[in-house]
Amino acid sequence: MSTTVGFVFTRPGFLSLLQDGGRRGVMHMGLATGGAMDRHAWAWANRLLGNSWGTPALEITFGGIEFQSELDTQIAITGAEVQCTVNGQPRPLWTTLAVHAGDTVTLSAPRTGIRSYLAVRGGFRVPPGLGGSCATFTREGTGGLHRDGRPLQAGDRLPCPPSLEPVPVRKVPQPWQPDYRAPLELAVIPCAQVERFPADTLARFFASEYTLTPQTDRMGARLKGPALDVLGKTLISEGTSLGAIQVPADGQPIVLLNDRQTIGGYPKLGAVTPRSLDALAQRPPGTAIRFRATTLHEAQLEERQFLRFFAEQV
């Protein structure tokens, strides 16, 4: 008889994926990095519980989950504005919550935002795979609970570490909780093949509004708006980076995301900064998006501050 205890899911939701900080050192093998789409919400869920940087959490897209706990532990739920209940009683988000063996936890569909993050004290006990990561890749068939890329299924048990010393109750201050209704402006570092875009095209890009289309997924955010002209549309395929803005032949930009392909031959106007990608990860199709130019130095300072706070890295 198995002694493993954890959370047993009676309703797994539309798309619930185990995600951590992503894989490193694998792109030369044609494997994407993956990891949590909204690193800000994912990092806060772990920090509230005293978990170390990189600890796996469950990324829940569009809510709608229900699970029963088989142990006494603590959880934190951040990200999209869902209604969380424990045994039918409402519980707050962005804070440390106690759950006990036999408790039933539910998350509704989100009011704002689209991705929630469920972390548990000590992290889900799932062995790492390629690149030292358990990040779920449905396209590649790797990672996740069963190491085959499958999203969470009804009846799955996510193993949790038992008998850990509880942490004090913590809450993210309201000013630090993002407003997913706010107008979305993404910071962009002009780079890569920016010289292939005429000056009037760049001016139009930064002055125009684009719309997030329903074709958006974990691979890329496809946008619709004023078409961008490119000088010389073909390139030798080269490595891609997180946030790169590719412009295919139709002139409609695509922002490459966590599960992107590792190489591409479309010209790239620049790259959306990591902190802006967190905000993008929470917006549904139909969201209006604008862009503003930033510098590599400014983006690096922002990322360094983020890592100092959440990962104690510089």
Side-chain angles (χ1 to χ4, degrees):
M1 180 177 176
S2 172
T3 58
T4 301
V5 293
F7 297 159
V8 179
F9 285 77
T10 51
R11 285 193 289 126
F14 172 74
L15 182 67
S16 299
L17 307 172
L18 270 175
Q19 297 293 352
D20 52 23
R23 300 187 297 211
R24 295 294 178 266
V26 296
M27 288 187 67
H28 67 287
M29 297 187 289
L31 301 173
T33 53
M37 289 277 284
D38 180 354
R39 283 202 307 162
H40 177 264
W42 164 79
W44 261 121
N46 279 316
R47 184 179 175 90
L48 286 167
L49 297 166
N51 294 340
S52 62
W53 176 262
T55 299
L58 189 65
E59 180 179 275
I60 304 158
T61 304
F62 295 124
I65 71 164
E66 179 180 271
F67 64 89
Q68 290 185 331
S69 179
E70 297 178 321
L71 74 164
D72 297 347
T73 188
Q74 291 170 294
I75 62 172
I77 299 162
T78 60
E81 186 187 349
V82 296
Q83 182 181 49
C84 170
T85 65
V86 178
N87 300 326
Q89 298 302 309
R91 293 290 185 269
L93 307 177
W94 299 89
T95 190
T96 308
L97 300 174
V99 294
H100 302 284
D103 283 352
T104 297
V105 181
T106 63
L107 300 185
S108 70
R111 301 183 184 94
T112 62
I114 61 175
R115 291 181 170 91
S116 303
Y117 290 87
L118 166 66
V120 66
R121 173 78 171 115
F124 295 111
R125 304 182 79 177
V126 178
L130 290 168
S133 168
C134 71
T136 308
F137 291 81
T138 55
R139 185 182 76 253
E140 296 175 1
T142 59
L145 177 61
H146 302 290
R147 306 180 73 172
D148 59 3
R150 279 185 294 166
L152 210 64
Q153 306 291 312
D156 279 346
R157 174 189 283 113
L158 277 184
C160 303
S163 305
L164 290 181
E165 187 72 20
V167 296
V169 175
R170 301 161 172 161
K171 182 177 177 61
V172 179
Q174 186 65 41
W176 292 4
Q177 297 179 29
D179 179 5
Y180 301 134
R181 294 187 179 92
L184 184 57
E185 183 180 71
L186 303 181
V188 174
I189 308 165
C191 55
Q193 291 86 34
V194 68
E195 73 280 354
R196 286 178 173 255
F197 297 87
D200 60 338
T201 295
L202 291 175
R204 183 165 65 252
F205 172 74
F206 285 109
S208 298
E209 184 175 274
Y210 286 82
T211 302
L212 193 61
T213 72
Q215 287 70 45
T216 294
D217 56 19
R218 282 184 53 91
M219 286 185 64
R222 293 179 177 269
L223 309 179
K224 186 174 181 56
L228 302 177
D229 301 320
V230 182
L231 304 176
K233 298 181 184 298
T234 59
L235 292 170
I236 297 174
S237 290
E238 60 184 9
T240 61
S241 63
L242 181 64
I245 303 172
Q246 283 191 340
V247 181
D250 64 2
Q252 299 297 318
I254 303 170
V255 181
L256 302 185
L257 301 176
N258 300 58
D259 292 0
R260 66 196 180 279
Q261 68 278 15
T262 56
I263 61 172
Y266 292 126
K268 292 171 283 294
L269 182 153
V272 176
T273 65
R275 301 286 64 75
S276 284
L277 290 176
D278 292 340
L280 177 61
Q282 292 291 357
R283 286 346 194 249
T287 296
I289 299 173
R290 288 186 173 273
F291 298 91
R292 65 175 176 84
T294 189
T295 66
L296 176 60
H297 178 66
E298 289 172 340
Q300 287 174 331
L301 288 177
E302 190 177 49
E303 183 69 0
R304 187 180 293 261
Q305 183 181 34
F306 175 85
L307 291 174
R308 278 202 181 113
F309 184 76
F310 287 110
E312 297 181 351
Q313 297 177 12
V314 294

